[in-house]
């Protein structure tokens, strides 16, 4: 993912190596992840200076699924990562380090630990299931900060509990649907609710359309909406082409308790892309390219120093994937 605006060049990258296996009634998967954030840091704050920043993130994830009886499967997973999970977190950490390092803002090494358990009930084998899961995430993060005679820091550790319920159904030979409901409880915040719907529709023998629509809400006024549409068409028996579009809009982050808040303003993003997939009996490869634009609402008073972080950008998204079954 590469973004540019006003001669600033930033890039984000992520790669995953995954291995899956099935032994008798059990399925398990192991993922190794690496991510990087490269940015040209700048701020209007006279107490900071431009800097070239690179942050790396490594992670590991394990997942196990085992059949309990004819209709029920149990699921469990563990995940850990070390490094900044978001571009915003890395940018703010650099800002606060430069601004308040002399007053006690220490270098932070963020990390996250996630565990989850769940079960899946196939009430109609092969065409309908109900799945429930509970996840617990512990994170060490770079805190927000302000200085009014003494340094005041925000939360350095976050604990999040996520409860998710989903149902998938095959309505006909051509239509499959899924509905997800999520409830998230994070340290220092109100409950966040997410409702999402997915529809896969085989319009004809060749055309397949996949659509998604979701809403997320949190008191006292956060709302986010996502809409997406992808159409895929086989050029040959082994080669497929797809066109997709995605729209995202939210009302902006909810400000924390600090008087000097770096909460993001509302944002609108639009993405259009084209994908190519080559698929054989035991192997497949995919290439996806998409221009991606992000447009922020004006930032509030007192947050002008975060103008570079929350400026409009034009991105190019590039994805490569390859899988081999043996």
């Amino acid at each position: 993912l590469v973004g540019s605006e006003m001669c600033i060049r930033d890039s984000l990258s992520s790669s995953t190596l995954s291995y899956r296996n099935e032994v008798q009634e059990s399925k398990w998967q192991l993922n190794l992840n690496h991510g990087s954030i490269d940015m040209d840091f700048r701020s209007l704050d006279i107490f900071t200076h431009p800097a070239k920043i690179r942050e790396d993130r490594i992670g590991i994830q394990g997942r196990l699924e085992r059949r309990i009886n004819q209709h029920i499967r149990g699921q469990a997973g563990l995940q850990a990562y070390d490094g900044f999970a978001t571009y915003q977190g890395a940018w703010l950490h650099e800002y606060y380090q430069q601004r308040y390092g002399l007053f006690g803002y220490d270098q932070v090494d963020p990390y996250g630990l996630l565990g989850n358990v769940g079960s899946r009930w196939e009430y109609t084998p092969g065409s309908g299931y109900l799945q429930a899961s509970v996840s617990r995430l512990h994170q060490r993060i770079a805190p927000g900060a302000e200085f009014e005679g003494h340094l005041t820091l925000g939360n350095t550790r976050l604990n999040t509990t996520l409860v998710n319920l989903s149902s998938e159904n095959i309505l006909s030979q051509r239509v499959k649907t899924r509905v997800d409901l999520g409830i998230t409880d994070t340290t220092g915040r109100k409950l966040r609710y997410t409702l999402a719907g997915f529809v896969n529709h085989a319009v004809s023998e060749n055309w397949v359309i996949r659509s998604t629509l979701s809403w997320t809400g949190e008191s006292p006024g956060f709302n986010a909406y996502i809409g997406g549409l992808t159409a895929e068409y086989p050029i040959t028996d082994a080669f497929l082409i797809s066109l997709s579009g995605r729209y995202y809009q939210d009302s902006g982050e909810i400000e924390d308790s600090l008087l000097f808040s770096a909460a993001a303003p509302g944002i609108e993003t639009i993405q259009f892309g084209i994908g190519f997939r080559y698929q054989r009996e035991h192997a497949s490869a995919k290439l996806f390219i998409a221009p991606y634009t992000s447009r922020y609402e004006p930032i509030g008073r007192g947050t002008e120093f975060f103008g570079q972080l929350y400026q409009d950008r034009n991105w190019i998204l590039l994805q490569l994937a390859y899988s081999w079954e043996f």
Side-chain angles (χ1 to χ4, degrees):
L1 188 64
V2 179
S4 65
E5 191 73 16
M6 298 174 60
C7 298
I8 296 173
R9 296 293 183 270
D10 297 327
S11 65
L12 314 176
S13 68
S14 178
S15 58
T16 301
L17 178 64
S18 179
Y19 177 78
R20 292 176 289 179
N21 201 349
E22 183 172 352
V23 180
Q24 295 180 349
E25 297 297 323
S26 299
K27 299 179 181 179
W28 63 274
Q29 179 173 330
L30 179 65
N31 296 334
L32 300 177
N33 312 103
H34 175 265
S36 66
I37 300 171
D38 290 275
M39 72 172 77
D40 290 325
F41 173 85
R42 297 177 187 177
S43 173
L44 295 177
D45 193 331
I46 62 173
F47 295 102
T48 65
H49 57 82
K52 184 69 175 179
I53 307 300
R54 178 182 174 88
E55 297 286 350
D56 289 289
R57 182 185 70 257
I58 58 173
I60 185 171
Q61 178 183 20
R63 179 177 174 83
L64 174 66
E65 180 177 307
R66 182 173 178 81
R67 181 174 292 279
I68 298 175
N69 57 41
Q70 182 180 0
H71 297 283
I72 297 178
R73 287 180 174 270
Q75 302 167 337
L78 290 173
Q79 181 178 353
Y81 72 85
D82 181 76
F84 286 97
T86 66
Y87 174 92
Q88 181 186 13
W91 195 98
L92 290 173
H93 178 256
E94 178 65 21
Y95 173 82
Y96 290 128
Q97 268 271 287
Q98 291 191 22
R99 187 69 168 81
Y100 301 122
L102 294 177
F103 302 100
Y105 191 98
D106 298 326
Q107 179 78 25
V108 176
D109 295 318
Y111 64 82
L113 301 171
L114 172 69
N116 64 79
V117 293
S119 63
R120 173 170 168 159
W121 172 40
E122 298 181 7
Y123 50 81
T124 306
S127 62
Y129 75 78
L130 184 66
Q131 181 171 300
S133 65
V134 178
S135 304
R136 180 70 170 178
L137 172 63
H138 171 74
Q139 294 173 289
R140 184 185 183 189
I141 64 170
E146 65 177 21
F147 188 84
E148 292 185 354
H150 66 279
L151 185 66
T152 301
L153 299 178
N155 288 326
T156 59
R157 298 180 185 274
L158 296 179
N159 292 304
T160 299
T161 300
L162 171 63
V163 179
N164 184 267
L165 185 66
S166 63
S167 177
E168 182 175 295
N169 296 273
I170 297 178
L171 303 184
S172 69
Q173 292 182 342
R174 293 184 178 272
V175 179
K176 180 170 69 174
T177 65
R178 193 179 91 226
V179 178
D180 291 353
L181 172 64
I183 303 175
T184 304
D185 183 15
T186 300
T187 302
R189 299 173 63 169
K190 302 291 186 179
L191 292 179
R192 176 168 291 199
Y193 300 91
T194 299
L195 180 63
F198 308 85
V199 178
N200 288 356
H201 183 201
V203 181
S204 67
E205 295 299 322
N206 294 321
W207 283 101
V208 175
I209 295 179
R210 297 186 292 272
S211 58
T212 179
L213 186 64
S214 72
W215 164 83
T216 297
E218 178 185 335
S219 295
F222 175 82
N223 288 282
Y225 305 91
I226 299 176
L229 191 67
T230 298
E232 190 171 57
Y233 182 84
I235 303 298
T236 67
D237 290 340
F239 186 74
L240 300 92
I241 186 171
S242 64
L243 298 174
S244 68
R246 182 178 182 271
Y247 174 82
Y248 172 85
Q249 183 269 332
D250 72 38
S251 55
E253 291 182 355
I254 299 172
E255 295 188 1
D256 56 29
S257 59
L258 297 178
L259 296 177
F260 187 56
S261 175
I267 187 175
E268 179 183 68
T269 67
I270 300 176
Q271 173 186 302
F272 292 101
I274 183 171
F276 306 93
R277 183 156 59 98
Y278 182 76
Q279 185 168 308
R280 303 300 294 175
E281 183 178 0
H282 297 291
S284 66
K286 182 179 180 180
L287 169 65
F288 181 71
I289 304 172
Y292 181 92
T293 64
S294 60
R295 298 293 180 262
Y296 284 98
E297 295 179 359
I299 58 178
R301 291 187 60 186
T303 59
E304 292 86 356
F305 295 152
F306 305 107
Q308 186 222 337
L309 175 59
Y310 300 130
Q311 70 174 353
D312 297 344
R313 282 184 172 87
N314 299 314
W315 299 87
I316 296 178
L317 175 64
L318 175 65
Q319 294 179 332
L320 293 170
Y322 175 78
S323 64
W324 176 41
E325 297 182 7
F326 58 91

